Amino acid sequence: MKKTLPGLGVLVTSALVLTACGGLGTTTTDSAASSTDPVPELAPDQKVSIVFESYNYGMAGAWTDTFNALIDEFTEQNPNIHVTAQKPQGNSPNPATDTISSIQSQTVAGTPPDVAQLGFSDLDFTIHQLGAHSLGDLVGKDSVQKNFDGAKYPYAPTARTLGDWEGSTYGVPFVFSTPVFYYNATLFEQAGLDPAAPPKTWDEVAAAASTITTKTGKGGVYLDCLTKTAKDWCFQSLVRSNGGRVIAEDRSSLTFADDPAVQVADMAQNLVQSGSTPKLSQQQGYEAFARGDVGMILETSAIQGTFVKGAKDKWDLRATTMPTFAGTTPVPTNSGASLFTFASDPAKQRASWELIKFLTSEEAYTKIAQGIGYLPLRTGLVDDPAGLKEWSQKNPLLAPNIAQLGSMEPWISMPGNNYLQIRDGMMDAVEAVVYQDADPKSTLEAAQKQAAALLPSE
């Protein structure tokens, strides 16, 4: 498939320019990708090499180890397909933030990865600017739905369409979490709190955090939702749980300066100002909790392995569902990513689909849940003695995530080529409110006014 890349000479100069100025332009497709006929199956002796780019390869320990094991297993099952696995190009502390600019740079050079793991907040841009293929067009809608149905266990209903756009599946949801409320039961006991009755509301969280800080000298609570580094998936969940949204349902206007969002930022600011939340970066926050220096944390289960390792033989790690705001029902949103293909060669497209199917299989999700802590999107595995039943019984930390999956709503991507500036501008404002004592209402209003000018005009 040939891509039309307007202004190619300018775009080559810098991936940062690409990020700042928008996308790669519209894409055109040749007959191989635009045909209604699925790309052909690989011949038994047909050798194909593909590149798989995942931000998990930029994260040491369980993430890289688990993915290396998965690729090794795929290669054993598919010896004619050679997979080169790589992390995104870039040097950010959080490699997920490098993914878009990495793929932009490679696309400009004519060598995009064949399969890529991209965040849900990038969905609009991934489809309309990076040119991810409709999987239904490539391999047939029946094949896509058969994969969701699984060999034995189907995808959870709320997860199946997270990579869809206007009824077409572009990405297969891969790994994600809902916001899980982890807590240190040992600190609860030291503070005179009942670890069997964790806080259920944010008012109760504030009271428990104050008690922990006063009686133990440790941090009370850390919400990994309130910095630009954390992106906005968890902030969206807090706002939705308070009855609001950060963007209107028709995607035409921003709403993160409305009262529900302002109240969330004000609540978090009060936790910092009271001394219950320490002023820490995202990484410092989850590392402090892992050491046992913070009593509670709202976090993705992607960090669960770090918490388990930190707590082992030192303190009692537990988890529950996210707390509520008074009079409301929590609305968990999802973190994480889908798998997309950018391959232009039909053989590579078919090989890419085979990899995507394997990475979202029952076998793969068993390894991913056990190795990292991500949700197994084929939830029937948790009741299967040959799957995750024994493991999940020994690891109750999975239960809150499973419980929240049924009421989950999607992490909404911002629209247009300037979506990153919109998202990051919002989170810069939230961070300024929470950690720099900025006025919640006026700060979010100013950020929303600036971001509104970046929305697409159509």
Side-chain angles (χ1 to χ4, degrees):
M1 180 187 344
K2 297 178 182 178
K3 293 183 182 293
T4 302
L5 303 178
L8 186 60
V10 175
L11 289 171
V12 169
T13 58
S14 171
L16 293 176
V17 172
L18 287 167
T19 301
C21 297
L24 299 171
T26 58
T27 61
T28 59
T29 60
D30 60 19
S31 59
S34 61
S35 170
T36 56
D37 296 328
V39 292
E41 298 278 353
L42 297 174
D45 59 348
Q46 188 174 3
K47 302 292 186 182
V48 183
S49 295
I50 58 174
V51 174
F52 169 46
E53 182 158 308
S54 167
Y55 55 77
N56 286 277
Y57 285 101
M59 303 168 72
W63 296 279
T64 297
D65 293 344
T66 300
F67 273 66
N68 281 339
L70 288 171
I71 296 302
D72 287 345
E73 183 64 27
F74 175 78
T75 301
E76 288 181 14
Q77 296 181 18
N78 300 269
N80 58 325
I81 301 176
H82 176 74
V83 179
T84 298
Q86 65 184 30
K87 70 174 184 177
Q89 301 172 0
N91 298 302
S92 298
N94 180 356
T97 62
D98 293 324
T99 304
I100 290 296
S101 60
S102 174
I103 293 179
Q104 285 178 316
S105 298
Q106 293 172 83
T107 300
V108 168
T111 57
D114 300 291
V115 178
Q117 179 181 344
L118 285 156
F120 291 102
S121 69
D122 305 314
L123 181 63
D124 189 331
F125 192 83
T126 296
I127 294 168
H128 298 114
Q129 295 302 320
L130 294 182
H133 298 307
S134 165
L135 294 170
D137 289 347
L138 288 188
V139 301
K141 292 183 179 179
D142 288 345
S143 293
V144 173
Q145 293 310 311
K146 184 178 179 181
N147 181 59
F148 281 131
D149 290 341
K152 192 174 183 181
Y153 299 112
Y155 260 49
T158 53
R160 292 175 75 121
T161 58
L162 293 176
D164 286 11
W165 196 271
E166 296 182 350
S168 295
T169 299
Y170 288 84
V172 178
F174 180 37
V175 289
F176 67 71
S177 174
T178 59
V180 179
F181 199 62
Y182 295 95
Y183 64 101
N184 185 327
T186 303
L187 279 183
F188 267 57
E189 291 176 345
Q190 292 174 0
L193 300 171
D194 182 3
K200 295 184 180 300
T201 69
W202 288 109
D203 287 341
E204 291 176 1
V205 168
S210 177
T211 299
I212 290 170
T213 299
T214 299
K215 294 191 175 181
T216 72
K218 301 291 183 72
V221 64
Y222 186 84
L223 310 185
D224 189 9
C225 305
L226 308 167
T227 65
K228 182 169 69 176
T229 307
K231 299 186 179 181
D232 65 331
W233 74 277
C234 183
F235 179 66
Q236 285 194 23
S237 183
L238 289 172
V239 174
R240 287 291 295 120
S241 297
N242 198 35
R245 298 179 182 274
V246 300
I247 184 171
E249 290 187 80
D250 64 4
R251 300 175 62 77
S252 66
S253 61
L254 300 170
T255 56
F256 63 80
D258 289 359
D259 286 346
V262 172
Q263 290 164 4
V264 168
D266 183 60
M267 178 270 289
Q269 184 188 69
N270 289 336
L271 289 172
V272 174
Q273 290 178 341
S274 69
S276 295
T277 291
K279 290 187 176 182
L280 300 172
S281 68
Q282 178 188 46
Q283 183 171 340
Q284 290 171 335
Y286 70 69
E287 287 179 347
F289 181 78
R291 289 194 306 270
D293 289 338
V294 174
M296 300 169 282
I297 189 169
L298 189 65
E299 186 59 89
T300 168
S301 64
I303 311 296
Q304 184 169 293
T306 300
F307 296 161
V308 171
K309 182 178 179 181
K312 186 176 181 181
D313 300 325
K314 297 176 184 176
W315 53 275
D316 184 2
L317 172 64
R318 301 188 193 181
T320 187
T321 52
M322 65 183 298
T324 68
F325 291 92
T328 65
T329 301
V331 181
T333 56
N334 60 282
S335 63
S338 292
L339 295 174
F340 300 87
T341 181
F342 300 93
S344 57
D345 175 75
K348 291 179 180 288
Q349 290 173 343
R350 175 56 67 174
S352 296
W353 176 239
E354 295 302 322
L355 178 61
I356 290 172
K357 285 196 299 181
F358 173 80
L359 289 174
T360 57
S361 66
E362 286 91 344
E363 177 184 359
Y365 275 123
T366 299
K367 289 182 171 65
I368 289 168
Q370 291 174 334
I372 299 175
Y374 276 122
L375 266 172
L377 301 188
R378 302 187 186 279
T379 51
L381 286 165
V382 300
D383 296 317
D384 186 348
L388 291 169
K389 183 174 183 178
E390 182 179 355
W391 179 83
S392 62
Q393 289 175 342
K394 295 178 179 178
N395 294 272
L397 299 175
L398 181 66
N401 235 340
I402 295 291
Q404 293 180 151
L405 191 55
S407 59
M408 183 191 74
E409 291 188 6
W411 177 12
I412 302 299
S413 63
M414 293 296 183
N417 291 353
N418 298 308
Y419 79 105
L420 286 175
Q421 291 94 312
I422 295 171
R423 185 193 73 193
D424 291 349
M426 174 180 70
M427 295 311 297
D428 276 336
V430 171
E431 188 171 348
V433 170
V434 176
Y435 292 107
Q436 299 165 27
D437 298 324
D439 177 71
K441 183 68 173 176
S442 61
T443 302
L444 290 176
E445 284 179 339
Q448 182 170 290
K449 182 178 180 180
Q450 186 174 14
L454 300 174
L455 289 171
S457 57
E458 296 181 1

